[in-house]
Amino acid sequence: MVDRNDGKFKADGVLVGSGGKRKRDGLGVENTDVKMGEGGEVEVNSQVQSSVKHIYGGGDVKSGLELS
């Protein structure tokens, strides 16, 4: 169960990467329909949801602030 300020939702998993360097290799995202940006980042909406509704990305895998 993921608890957010705007409510709770169930998830099978959460994809989060964290570290000094952005590390996206080996995650298998290329085997999905997730849209990727020009720099190899996972494109996410304001709720860190990717273009595939059940896949979320945070930290190193997305662009912008690393909130992990």
Side-chain angles (χ1 to χ4, degrees):
M1 182 67 68
V2 178
D3 189 2
R4 294 178 37 101
N5 290 340
D6 57 348
K8 295 181 181 183
F9 63 92
K10 290 184 179 183
D12 291 329
V14 177
L15 174 63
V16 177
S18 182
K21 293 176 92 176
R22 294 191 181 272
K23 299 174 185 163
R24 301 179 185 114
D25 296 337
L27 296 176
V29 177
E30 66 278 0
N31 299 319
T32 71
D33 292 327
V34 171
K35 290 184 183 175
M36 304 294 285
E38 290 182 19
E41 71 278 4
V42 173
E43 293 185 2
V44 296
N45 63 19
S46 62
Q47 297 181 349
V48 296
Q49 185 179 38
S50 77
S51 58
V52 177
K53 299 299 181 194
H54 66 280
I55 298 178
Y56 292 75
D60 290 353
V61 301
K62 69 172 198 65
S63 63
L65 293 175
E66 296 179 27
L67 302 175
S68 57

